[in-house]
């Protein structure tokens, strides 16, 4: 096997016009790193002149070579380059000169196609552009240019909306005006639908109104959290959609209120001069998690020694003690448990009855939470009838956050959005 054939095989170069000689590989220090530099010649008889189109009848002559250094994929962990001496030609018909071309690299480009393909494949992995650039020994700008040229850019078609939508948001990138960006997906197929830079009402309205009325009228349900502009939006733009409040966010409301009340009670106890109150403070501080547990899951059979109580108790005893400290805390706890039970077990009547009761004994925080729930009662009852939830979008959202984190925050939203779509396989490679 000749050296040329052998080297072409090693470097996976298909172009038979590239010839390698003896000593074609050298170790050269490039940017402080040892690199494998291969040298080769690209030469052949030109068939016709690209300038005037004349066929070569001894009218095109070889006219020296021009060296260009092409970035190859790594070889055995070393950066690799190909010093390619490209044949120059002179056309005697039109006196123009031109270089020999090869398919391993595009014209006027110094990065091999193999490297570009590898970069484009890395775009699907959760790894920052900076790291992809370092792996391939190219600049970060090159990486983003390759991404841009390798994938179709995402264009929303305004003729279709999923029947079942799901809304969520995430903290935006630097160049966005709004603090939060908006993400929406299909709650049936779990496909990402679109990502928008701004979740403010007027922006979302502007976006959704681009879909014709009959497309919007086909939307049947939208799952959302308790962010009220979403509810206004949904009523405005989706005439037939039922609003479903995500169950997790319903419980989050009462969960937050219960925690706030507990902290208020604790702050009162801490400042007290009574030693018992300060001990109660420590107990609430240590066992707060038990208050958030489902009532029927609190253990009442296993007795353990509790240092703070100086005796053996089961978790149920601890909960009872904590609730005995403050009557408002107890009332809040009952409210929290009732809402949680009703939502998790889809007890519509129980939920309806409870939010419509008077809540005199509750803390202001919990009263406010109850008002919020009462205001969204119709939508919450929907969520107890349908199975759709925000679970899928939370997963999508987590992935988006990881993409953002590994990229050390994107500055440009369009760029960021494209990377998201590449990762969710929504963009076809060109
Ligand atoms: Zn010519």
């Amino acid at each position: 096997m000749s050296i040329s054939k052998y080297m072409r095989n090693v470097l996976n170069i298909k172009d038979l016009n590239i010839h390698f000689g003896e000593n074609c590989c050298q170790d050269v220090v490039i940017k402080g790193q040892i690199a494998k530099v291969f040298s080769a010649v690209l030469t052949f008889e030109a068939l016709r002149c690209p300038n005037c189109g004349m066929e070569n009848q001894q009218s095109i002559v070889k006219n020296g070579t021009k060296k260009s250094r092409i970035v190859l994929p790594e070889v055995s962990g070393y950066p690799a380059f190909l010093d390619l001496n490209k044949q120059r030609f002179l056309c005697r018909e039109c006196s123009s000169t031109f270089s020999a071309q090869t398919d391993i690299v595009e014209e006027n480009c110094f990065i091999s196609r193999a490297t570009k393909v590898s970069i484009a494949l890395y775009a699907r992995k959760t790894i920052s552009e900076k790291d992809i650039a370092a792996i391939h020994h190219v600049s970060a700008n090159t990486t983003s240019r390759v991404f841009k040229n390798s994938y179709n850019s995402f264009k929303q078609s305004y003729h279709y909306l999923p029947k079942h939508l799901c809304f969520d948001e995430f903290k935006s990138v630097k160049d966005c005006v709004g603090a939060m960006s908006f993400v929406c997906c299909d709650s049936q197929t779990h496909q990402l639908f679109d990502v928008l830079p701004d979740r403010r009402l007027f922006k979302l309205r502007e976006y959704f109104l681009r879909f014709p009325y009959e497309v919007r009228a086909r939307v049947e349900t939208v799952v959302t959290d308790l962010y009220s502009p979403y509810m206004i939006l949904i009523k405005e733009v989706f005439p037939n959609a039922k609003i479903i409040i995500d169950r997790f966010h319903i419980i989050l409301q009462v969960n937050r209120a219960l925690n706030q009340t507990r902290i208020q009670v604790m702050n009162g106890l801490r400042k007290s001069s009574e030693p018992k109150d300060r001990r109660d403070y420590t107990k609430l501080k240590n066992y707060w998690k038990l208050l958030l547990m489902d009532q029927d899951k609190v253990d009442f059979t296993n007795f353990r020694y509790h240092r703070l109580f100086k005796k053996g108790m089961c978790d149920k005893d601890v909960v009872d003690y904590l609730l005995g400290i403050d009557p408002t805390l107890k009332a809040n706890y009952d409210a929290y448990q009732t809402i949680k039970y009703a939502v998790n077990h889809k007890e519509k009547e129980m939920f309806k009855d409870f939010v419509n009761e008077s809540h005199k004994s509750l803390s202001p925080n919990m009263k406010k939470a109850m008002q919020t729930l009462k205001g969204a009662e119709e939508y919450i009852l929907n969520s107890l009838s349908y199975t759709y939830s925000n679970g899928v979008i939370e997963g999508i959202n987590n992935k988006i956050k990881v993409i953002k984190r590994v990229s050390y925050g994107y500055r440009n939203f369009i760029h960021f959005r494209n990377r998201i779509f590449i990762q969710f396989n929504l963009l076809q490679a060109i």
Side-chain angles (χ1 to χ4, degrees), residues 49-54 91-96 98:
C49 165
N51 189 34
C52 65
M54 279 292 278
C91 170
R92 286 198 170 132
E93 290 294 327
C94 66
S95 323
S96 67
F98 56 94

Side-chain angles (χ1 to χ4, degrees), residues 9 13 35 46 58 63 91 95 99 105 113 120 124 150 179 269 288 325 391:
N9 192 10
I13 291 172
Q58 265 103 48
N63 187 26
C91 170
S95 323
S99 296
V105 67
R113 283 183 204 266
R124 292 188 191 273
S150 308
L269 293 172
W288 63 274
I325 294 173

